[in-house]
Amino acid sequence: MKCRRCNRPAAINMRQHKLALCEEHYPEWFVSYTERAIRKYRMFGPEDRILVAVSGGKDSLSLWDVLLRLGYSADGMYIDLGIDGGFGYSRLSREKVEAFVAARPGVRLHVVDVAALYGATIPEVSARKMRGRGKPCAVCGLIKRHEMNRIAQEYGYTVLATGHNLDDEVAVLLSNLLHWQTGYLLRQAPVLVERDGMTRKVKPFCRSYEREVAAYALIQGIDYIYEECPYAVGNLTNFYKDMLARIETESPGAKLQFYQGFLRAREEGFFCGEAAEPPPMHPCSQCGQPTTVPGLCAFCRLWQ
Ligand code: Q46
Ligand code: ZN
Ligand code: ZN
């Protein structure tokens, strides 16, 4: 397989785009493809201050790298969840993020250490709340959302960017459709606009396949943590990803069509009416962050 641009051996063949590119031309294409997604969905502009939520994985570190290459003002934020999993998951992922920053003088990283700040790691607080049953993912998601918005608001960032890729988005979309989670379907979008103390959220890799992001990280020499969070192993999202991968093998481009078709349906008013209106928000009586019910937000109730 030859590179479409220069005829040298291709490093990646993207059947969904009918495009093969070499090690030199692929990163250029990937960066400009991301830039086109940023513009198409009006995610942000050069005047915005962006906070990138980084986990130490390939998606978030590649996103930060791409935004810096494009010249955006982009700082990073890492949340140390205190997860060990027998191999020091949080310690290792934090090391990867810190090495990324050390190699790029002048970039700023915010580190939130959950145990140091609130007195318990994610598995500890979850075990207390769930009385030792189940995975800590619900508690983890709640804490991450709260802390990302808190840092964004406190430091005046106008945009919060996450590294969700197309494979993540279609797995969530399939799950939401299978269960007809209309509330979640309404909120699944490349951009969630800012409102009432909530910073705008964007997903610049929402049209990029996971293997495209992995190829970018590899070619650019971005060192990331290969292991997944130990609590992600065997979860339903990974099951949906496997199913969608089988469909994609038979029908290249199926994931992209599925996602873009969904976004078009939204634009054309497929999801409309009262349910499309987000519920009113109230400031939490303790931390001040927006919450749908007056009084304490779910985060403050958790630690109480
Ligand atoms: S929610 Fe669950 Fe993830 Fe938190 S505990 Fe790990 S798998 S990191 S996206
Ligand atoms: Zn080439
Ligand atoms: Zn609160």
Side-chain angles (χ1 to χ4, degrees), residues 146 284 286-289 296-297 299-300:
H146 185 277
C284 166
Q286 188 165 305
C287 72
Q289 286 219 35
L296 283 185
C297 72
F299 177 87
C300 291

Side-chain angles (χ1 to χ4, degrees), residues 215-275:
Y216 179 81
L218 194 73
I219 293 172
Q220 294 303 103
I222 295 170
D223 188 19
Y224 61 86
I225 182 161
Y226 291 94
E227 291 85 357
E228 270 192 308
C229 169
Y231 297 106
V233 177
N235 68 13
L236 256 185
T237 306
N238 282 347
F239 172 70
Y240 294 136
K241 281 185 178 177
D242 289 345
M243 302 303 292
L244 287 156
R246 288 169 61 182
I247 298 172
E248 180 77 23
T249 306
E250 294 300 320
S251 171
K255 289 184 203 172
L256 193 55
Q257 279 169 22
F258 182 35
Y259 184 63
Q260 290 190 317
F262 162 67
L263 295 183
R264 264 197 307 279
R266 279 171 55 108
E267 262 173 36
E268 288 165 8
F270 189 72
F271 304 100
C272 58
E274 266 179 50

Side-chain angles (χ1 to χ4, degrees), residues 27-231:
E28 283 173 13
W29 175 86
F30 184 78
V31 170
S32 93
Y33 186 71
T34 307
E35 171 84 314
R36 275 178 273 150
I38 292 167
R39 293 217 181 117
K40 179 176 169 67
Y41 299 113
R42 297 193 185 90
M43 293 186 183
F44 46 81
E47 70 289 352
D48 278 301
R49 289 190 63 219
I50 304 158
L51 180 64
V52 186
V54 286
S55 65
K58 64 180 180 318
D59 302 297
S60 53
L61 289 181
S62 296
L63 174 60
W64 198 2
D65 184 82
V66 167
L67 296 184
L68 291 171
R69 258 166 220 279
L70 287 168
Y72 288 108
S73 155
D75 294 343
M77 169 185 184
Y78 172 78
I79 305 179
D80 191 325
L81 307 167
I83 293 174
D84 184 77
F87 61 94
Y89 170 72
S90 286
R91 180 182 48 78
L92 270 177
S93 54
R94 185 169 172 167
E95 283 171 12
K96 299 291 182 192
V97 174
E98 287 173 345
F100 179 96
V101 173
R104 290 163 181 77
V107 304
R108 182 175 187 190
L109 173 69
H110 302 267
V111 174
V112 173
D113 186 326
V114 174
L117 209 53
Y118 298 104
T121 63
I122 298 281
E124 286 166 354
V125 69
S126 170
R128 271 183 233 159
K129 183 176 159 61
M130 316 267 295
R131 299 198 179 85
R133 286 173 285 119
K135 289 187 176 189
C137 294
V139 164
C140 180
L142 168 69
I143 292 176
K144 284 196 289 194
R145 283 192 299 278
H146 185 277
E147 289 302 290
M148 289 191 291
N149 197 58
R150 179 177 69 80
I151 295 290
Q153 293 279 317
E154 276 182 21
Y155 290 87
Y157 292 101
T158 51
V159 177
L160 187 55
T162 56
H164 294 97
N165 59 45
L166 177 68
D167 294 56
D168 299 323
E169 290 301 298
V170 287
V172 171
L173 177 57
L174 179 60
S175 169
N176 288 341
L177 284 171
L178 285 175
H179 303 99
W180 281 109
Q181 300 268 26
T182 48
Y184 290 155
L185 285 166
L186 285 166
R187 286 195 294 276
Q188 191 180 354
V191 181
L192 280 182
V193 291
E194 62 274 33
R195 65 188 194 101
D196 305 332
M198 297 284 284
T199 302
R200 186 189 326 158
K201 286 190 189 146
V202 300
K203 299 171 188 168
F205 284 169
C206 63
R207 296 194 308 180
S208 300
Y209 282 70
E210 183 176 5
R211 68 185 283 270
E212 294 171 5
V213 183
Y216 179 81
L218 194 73
I219 293 172
Q220 294 303 103
I222 295 170
D223 188 19
Y224 61 86
I225 182 161
Y226 291 94
E227 291 85 357
E228 270 192 308
C229 169
Y231 297 106

